[in-house]
Amino acid sequence: RYKTDVNNIEGALNTVKSIQGVTFSWDLEDSPYDSVEGKQIGLIAQQVEAFAPELVTADSAGYKSISYDRLTPLMIEAIKEQQQLIEELRSDVEDLKNQ
């Protein structure tokens, strides 16, 4: 009831395909955050920002971070787009089998 200008997410699959997951380790000496030691998995904020800027925020020092919880709607729509493609391909395969 409090949302306005509600629109469907378009092109979610292409957006997700454009984002690269990475593994990394935090620089524990220079990191401005309470970082965890050891290998981590995540995304690069600057890369995500190019395709989905609404997922990236910057603090007062300009350090960027990703709101991973807000990735969920994008992933849901990407899965739905992918599922539609799968169903279309299945239909095409069935048509070819019947010929």
Side-chain angles (χ1 to χ4, degrees), residues 3 5 24 26 73 77 97:
K3 295 176 175 101
D5 196 26
F24 63 93
W26 290 108
E77 291 305 312
K97 282 182 179 179

Side-chain angles (χ1 to χ4, degrees), residues 6-19:
V6 175
N7 297 292
N8 292 335
I9 298 172
E10 301 291 335
L13 185 56
N14 283 334
T15 300
V16 169
K17 286 171 37 178
S18 300
I19 297 171

Side-chain angles (χ1 to χ4, degrees), residues 42-62:
L43 305 169
I44 303 298
Q46 291 79 358
Q47 184 187 51
V48 172
E49 186 175 40
F51 300 101
E54 58 278 350
L55 300 177
V56 178
T57 56
D59 65 13
S60 59

